Amino acid sequence: MAANGITLEQLYNGFRDPDTIKMLLAKIAQIAPQLPEPLRIMEVCGGHTHSIMKFGLHQLLPDNIDFVHGPGCPVCIMPKERIDQAIALAQQPDVILATLGDMIRVPGSDTSLAKLRAQGADIRALYDPLDALVLAQQNPDKTVVFFAIGFETTTPMSAVLVQQAEAMELDNLLLHVNHVLVPPAIDAVMAGGEATINAFIGPSHVSVITGAKIYQAAVDNYQTPLVVTGFEPVDILEGVLMLVQQAIAGEAKLEIQYRRSVSHDGNLKAQQLVADYFELADAFRWRGLGDIPASALRLKPQFNHRNAELKYAQILPTDPVDDHKACMCGEILKGIKTPQQCKVFGRGCTPQTPMGSCMVSSEGACHAHYKYAGVSL
Amino acid sequence: MCLSIPSQVTELHPNEDSVTVDTMGVKRKVSTHLIAEPLEIGDYVLLHVGFAMNKIDHKTAIENLALLKQMELANGC
């Protein structure tokens, strides 16, 4: 159906058009020599990392433009002790643990949800968080715990889940909340001044919810251009072109390339839902980056009856579990080291046996390099 | 995790807080709890974990693609 003058296929393929990609690459190559210094662009979001590596965009750009892969992969930044908590919950005989599919394979200290499920634990990989409502209705003698993960993109969906559970008076549905925020992660990367990043590609779908406004402070504080960009190759290259143009002009502005889906203010209804059910947590320990203050959300106190961390406090392990000493994820996330400079990359640390956060999911920097860039040992 | 592809609204279910969308040939019912303005058949939305996240501004998409085509012509690509 060609609605509104464009078909779904055109909307999808238009931003993957090879001729447009060639033209954008030619324009970037034409003006890149004018860059006052090499441009090191952090793409904060794992979705961008995946697209850049999948389409080989990093190999098509001039030598003085580099990508640094950021901490925006909610599976990768989940510390092992939180996964251990999910595992402890799933081991309770009266619990059905439900989560989005990405979390199932990620190893905790000793095992993963996938292995536990193979041993008989009732663990459900959901596509849609609202499916947890059906699970709770169908299993009134069990407690359904939704292990909620994700950046600002997925938090509104968890808010709707709480809203609906309250409306339906489903007492047997709890949440274990691991919703994290992008701006504090940017601060953590840039703090200390050792990061080598001088431009940012802002996340696509986080920004659909939050609006571009959440990045203004980072742009001002670090005097670094930031362009909110879509996930398709044409989007990413147009975003890079805008960053190069800013850098040549000596500007540090917040711009939106992904105008068809992102506004300055974002989805206000979704933001209100998040504000209704969640509040800022004091801190969250990020795998690869450590403790970051005010970087995550928790349920508001009036929803304590839905908080699995409170209800099951006695059985949840809380000791921090660090990655292997050889893992360089923290430095890789700051652009100080590349995956290939890590001693365990591709040797002990592979997607099948990840030793550190960046290797855990296909959106992690090391995993993407391993999968698409090859390993030269 | 945050990937999401454009989908088109094909059926409305106003009493269920949902619409049916077509995602490149695959049809499914998705939640409209996050959408403030009423959706119409033919609208484009971004779909993420079973929810419509926004209404895609198709006019902006057309303008963006047209501008890129103009740049191609100007560059002789």
Side-chain angles (χ1 to χ4, degrees):
Chain A
M1 176 176 18
N4 312 319
I6 189 167
T7 64
L8 184 59
E9 202 161 343
Q10 286 167 329
L11 191 60
Y12 182 69
N13 289 335
F15 293 94
R16 294 186 168 205
D17 180 66
D19 290 338
T20 312
I21 291 171
K22 281 181 202 153
M23 178 275 293
L24 286 166
L25 285 167
K27 275 196 86 76
I28 292 166
Q30 190 186 356
I31 62 171
Q34 299 168 46
L35 279 167
E37 59 180 346
L39 201 62
R40 291 179 57 76
I41 305 168
M42 171 165 278
E43 87 281 359
V44 180
C45 173
H48 279 132
T49 303
H50 193 243
S51 278
I52 287 163
M53 300 302 286
K54 180 178 171 184
F55 293 103
L57 302 181
H58 58 301
Q59 294 166 337
L60 300 171
L61 288 166
D63 289 345
N64 61 345
I65 300 174
D66 247 339
F67 288 112
V68 176
H69 312 303
C73 158
V75 178
C76 304
I77 61 90
M78 188 73 61
K80 277 187 182 171
E81 64 266 21
R82 305 290 291 179
I83 300 164
D84 289 347
Q85 290 188 359
I87 287 162
L89 287 166
Q91 285 170 323
Q92 300 303 302
D94 65 329
V95 165
I96 298 174
L97 188 96
T99 187
L100 299 176
D102 309 50
M103 272 319 297
I104 298 283
R105 260 187 359 95
V106 183
S109 299
D110 302 314
T111 184
S112 70
L113 291 170
K115 285 180 186 164
L116 205 62
R117 187 171 58 176
Q119 291 160 0
D122 198 345
I123 296 165
R124 313 287 181 104
L126 304 184
Y127 164 70
D128 178 343
L130 295 189
D131 290 345
L133 297 168
V134 181
L135 271 180
Q137 280 176 308
Q138 289 174 343
N139 296 277
D141 55 333
K142 295 275 176 96
T143 299
V144 175
V145 179
F146 181 63
F147 189 75
I149 60 165
F151 281 87
E152 291 91 333
T153 324
T154 47
T155 314
M157 292 70 171
S158 295
V160 173
L161 178 63
V162 179
Q163 179 195 47
Q164 296 300 307
E166 290 288 293
M168 295 160 75
E169 297 180 346
L170 280 171
D171 297 338
N172 62 330
L173 178 64
L174 309 183
L175 284 85
H176 184 289
V177 177
N178 304 274
H179 283 304
V180 282
L181 305 170
V182 167
I186 293 179
D187 287 336
V189 165
M190 296 301 276
E194 52 179 349
T196 59
I197 294 138
N198 53 11
F200 284 100
I201 283 178
S204 312
H205 296 137
V206 162
S207 312
V208 169
I209 300 294
T210 63
K213 60 179 186 266
I214 63 165
Y215 310 112
Q216 191 62 57
V219 170
D220 295 341
N221 288 342
Y222 308 115
Q223 282 301 297
T224 306
L226 187 148
V227 177
V228 176
T229 302
F231 275 139
E232 299 299 340
V234 165
D235 289 319
I236 295 171
L237 290 175
E238 190 180 16
V240 170
L241 178 62
M242 290 162 81
L243 288 169
V244 171
Q245 286 167 331
Q246 277 202 52
I248 289 170
E251 294 173 324
K253 291 188 303 194
L254 171 61
E255 290 183 301
I256 304 172
Q257 177 279 333
Y258 196 32
R259 292 180 306 279
R260 63 189 181 277
S261 285
V262 173
S263 63
H264 180 75
D265 291 322
N267 181 334
L268 298 176
K269 186 177 182 186
Q271 290 168 37
Q272 187 56 55
L273 276 160
V274 171
D276 288 345
Y277 296 96
F278 293 101
E279 63 182 19
L280 262 185
D282 301 335
F284 191 86
R285 210 173 83 95
W286 293 51
R287 196 173 173 180
L289 289 172
D291 276 336
I292 306 179
S295 64
L297 299 174
R298 64 182 175 213
L299 280 167
K300 282 184 160 177
Q302 58 265 47
F303 304 105
N304 279 351
H305 56 286
R306 302 231 169 253
N307 190 335
E309 286 184 76
L310 296 177
K311 182 164 180 187
Y312 288 95
Q314 293 191 326
I315 60 127
L316 295 181
T318 52
D319 287 343
V321 184
D322 288 318
D323 280 330
H324 193 280
K325 287 199 298 288
C327 167
M328 287 185 171
C329 274
E331 287 155 297
I332 290 165
L333 291 175
K334 291 181 180 178
I336 300 164
K337 291 273 193 322
T338 64
Q340 282 79 1
Q341 288 172 304
C342 177
K343 286 192 176 73
V344 291
F345 174 73
R347 292 182 174 88
C349 185
T350 68
Q352 290 71 38
T353 55
M355 290 165 69
S357 65
C358 303
M359 192 60 95
V360 168
S361 124
S362 64
E363 294 182 358
C366 294
H367 188 123
H369 271 257
Y370 185 94
K371 188 169 176 182
Y372 293 116
V375 185
S376 38
L377 300 175
Chain B
M1 177 78 206
C2 294
L3 283 174
S4 164
I5 49 176
S7 307
Q8 188 166 33
V9 177
T10 58
E11 286 175 58
L12 306 175
H13 314 289
N15 302 328
E16 301 174 36
D17 287 320
S18 69
V19 292
T20 299
V21 297
D22 170 358
T23 310
M24 304 306 278
V26 178
K27 290 197 172 170
R28 62 162 292 144
K29 226 184 227 192
V30 301
S31 155
T32 54
H33 287 97
L34 305 181
I35 306 293
E37 71 270 39
L39 288 172
E40 292 170 18
I41 288 177
D43 278 345
Y44 295 107
V45 295
L46 280 172
L47 173 61
H48 185 63
V49 297
F51 284 74
M53 289 170 66
N54 71 335
K55 193 163 131 176
I56 297 171
D57 182 345
H58 62 274
K59 285 192 187 125
T60 303
I62 293 168
E63 282 165 18
N64 192 350
L65 289 170
L67 193 69
L68 289 164
K69 283 292 165 200
Q70 278 176 13
M71 281 164 74
E72 273 175 61
L73 291 171
N75 277 266
C77 294

